[in-house]
Amino acid sequence: NRDIKEQILSLSLNQKIDLFKYLENNILEENKYYSYNYLYDNCATKIRDVLNDVFPNYIYYDFQDVSYSLSYRELMDLYLSYQKWGDLGIDICLGVEIDKIAEGYNTMYLPDYLFSSLSNAKTTKGEKLISEEINIFSSRNISINHSFFGPWETFFFLFIFLLFISFRERKYDIWYKKLDFLIFLITGSIGFLLLFLWFFTDHISAYNYNIIWALPVNFIVAFFFFNKKMLNQLKHYFLFYSIFLMSLILLWNFIPQKLNNSLFFLILLLLIRSFLVFLKIKKILTLKFI
């Protein structure tokens, strides 16, 4: 149920032959593979780049209708309003690179912006590049069911639930150790995923500030909850981890990467649990020495 539109290029016979030859060569076994990149080398930019390769300095784009104030991430968000979990996954896995402002030429990594840019483009002859646009299929209006439990709602209710658990711990002087084990095991696992994407893949995942709350060390530290000999080390770790989380919250709007808003409740939850773990271990060690 997607729109299908066709754009007819205004090319001479010789230009059509040149383009055809380029595509014939491009489909050869030694040429048909390329390193995909979300922003700079994808299925939309390929069309733009092929035209520029075949007709260098022949096409001039007019970006007067394109906003120069949006980043690559913000442009993606325009298409993810009904896919909140998918948006969260992208925001967690992709790093600061996609927070750069996308200038007019680079907005063509999105098909809609490629289409509009080609529509407004002209040739060195002063003629429009597109001679005709044909609407092949128009999408039907369909109702979209909004899931109530999006990331924001899920993390908010999880925060409220664990806030209640935390008050109960303090009131009755207990420690739900297995709960903290699960929390930090999961966040540490996410951290290892971010490290893998950062150093071992070609995805745009380098310099990812989500690594601050999803510290891979959390995965290892989680198992130390059940080792009494490691309590003193755990105390210091969770004190510093709490400071990291507090700094991240205070600098939320100042770091170069835009974090997903729903993560605020998750990070606040981690801050509360990690600081309570610090206080609990400190109390245990104090009583031990007394």
Side-chain angles (χ1 to χ4, degrees):
N1 191 40
R2 293 187 177 186
D3 291 335
I4 302 176
K5 300 176 183 179
E6 182 179 17
Q7 290 176 309
I8 308 298
L9 296 170
S10 179
L11 300 174
S12 67
L13 178 59
N14 288 335
Q15 288 174 319
K16 293 177 184 178
I17 293 174
D18 290 339
L19 181 56
F20 179 79
K21 288 180 178 179
Y22 181 96
L23 297 176
E24 284 286 288
N25 180 67
N26 191 70
I27 205 173
L28 296 177
E29 187 68 22
E30 63 269 23
N31 298 330
K32 67 181 182 179
Y33 297 104
Y34 71 100
S35 297
Y36 180 88
N37 184 290
Y38 295 115
L39 308 183
Y40 309 122
D41 204 0
N42 66 15
C43 52
T45 62
K46 275 296 180 187
I47 296 174
R48 175 200 67 192
D49 295 342
V50 164
L51 291 175
N52 288 341
D53 287 344
V54 180
F55 313 117
N57 302 319
Y58 178 72
I59 302 172
Y60 292 91
Y61 297 99
D62 182 2
F63 299 111
Q64 59 182 355
D65 297 330
V66 176
S67 173
Y68 284 87
S69 60
L70 298 180
S71 67
Y72 291 100
R73 191 188 303 272
E74 290 168 332
L75 287 171
M76 288 183 194
D77 288 343
L78 298 177
Y79 298 87
L80 295 169
S81 57
Y82 300 114
Q83 302 178 45
K84 297 298 185 182
W85 287 105
D87 184 29
L88 175 64
I90 290 173
D91 285 343
I92 290 177
C93 292
L94 300 187
V96 71
E97 178 73 15
I98 68 171
D99 288 288
K100 294 179 179 179
I101 299 298
E103 298 178 354
Y105 187 80
N106 293 323
T107 61
M108 286 190 274
Y109 85 98
L110 291 170
D112 278 344
Y113 286 84
L114 172 69
F115 185 91
S116 61
S117 297
L118 291 176
S119 294
N120 295 326
K122 292 187 177 181
T123 69
T124 53
K125 300 177 181 178
E127 301 172 347
K128 290 183 67 65
L129 177 65
I130 302 300
S131 62
E132 184 180 4
E133 293 180 352
I134 303 172
N135 189 28
I136 297 177
F137 177 79
S138 296
S139 60
R140 302 178 301 276
N141 291 326
I142 57 175
S143 58
I144 299 176
N145 295 323
H146 297 271
S147 174
F148 179 74
F149 288 100
W152 194 95
E153 294 79 11
T154 300
F155 291 145
F156 176 74
F157 285 116
L158 185 63
F159 171 75
I160 296 299
F161 170 72
L162 288 174
L163 195 62
F164 169 76
I165 293 295
S166 299
F167 277 120
R168 180 178 173 82
E169 280 184 332
R170 299 293 291 175
K171 181 177 181 180
Y172 296 104
D173 194 22
I174 55 180
W175 183 12
Y176 294 107
K177 192 179 296 185
K178 292 181 179 179
L179 176 62
D180 285 322
F181 169 79
L182 184 62
I183 291 173
F184 294 106
L185 186 74
I186 293 175
T187 55
S189 299
I190 296 174
F192 275 118
L193 172 63
L194 298 184
L195 278 183
F196 175 77
L197 293 173
W198 187 334
F199 292 103
F200 299 102
T201 74
D202 293 327
H203 298 296
I204 309 171
S205 304
Y207 306 104
N208 193 332
Y209 281 74
N210 286 294
I211 204 78
I212 297 175
W213 63 265
L215 275 178
V217 185
N218 283 358
F219 182 89
I220 301 172
V221 166
F223 291 95
F224 292 165
F225 283 131
F226 308 102
N227 187 339
K228 294 181 179 180
K229 295 180 180 180
M230 300 298 297
L231 288 182
N232 191 52
Q233 289 83 350
L234 280 179
K235 182 187 72 171
H236 291 100
Y237 175 81
F238 281 104
L239 174 61
F240 286 113
Y241 184 54
S242 300
I243 294 173
F244 289 156
L245 294 174
M246 177 59 73
S247 300
L248 182 60
I249 291 174
L250 293 176
L251 298 174
W252 189 274
N253 293 318
F254 299 98
I255 60 175
Q257 179 175 339
K258 181 182 178 183
L259 301 179
N260 192 288
N261 288 330
S262 63
L263 289 174
F264 179 82
F265 289 110
L266 177 61
I267 296 171
L268 188 59
L269 160 66
L270 290 172
L271 171 61
I272 292 173
R273 291 307 301 177
S274 59
F275 189 69
L276 288 178
V277 168
F278 162 74
L279 293 178
K280 187 66 179 179
I281 295 176
K282 182 180 179 182
K283 183 177 181 179
I284 292 174
L285 293 175
T286 302
L287 292 174
K288 180 180 177 181
F289 283 109
I290 291 176

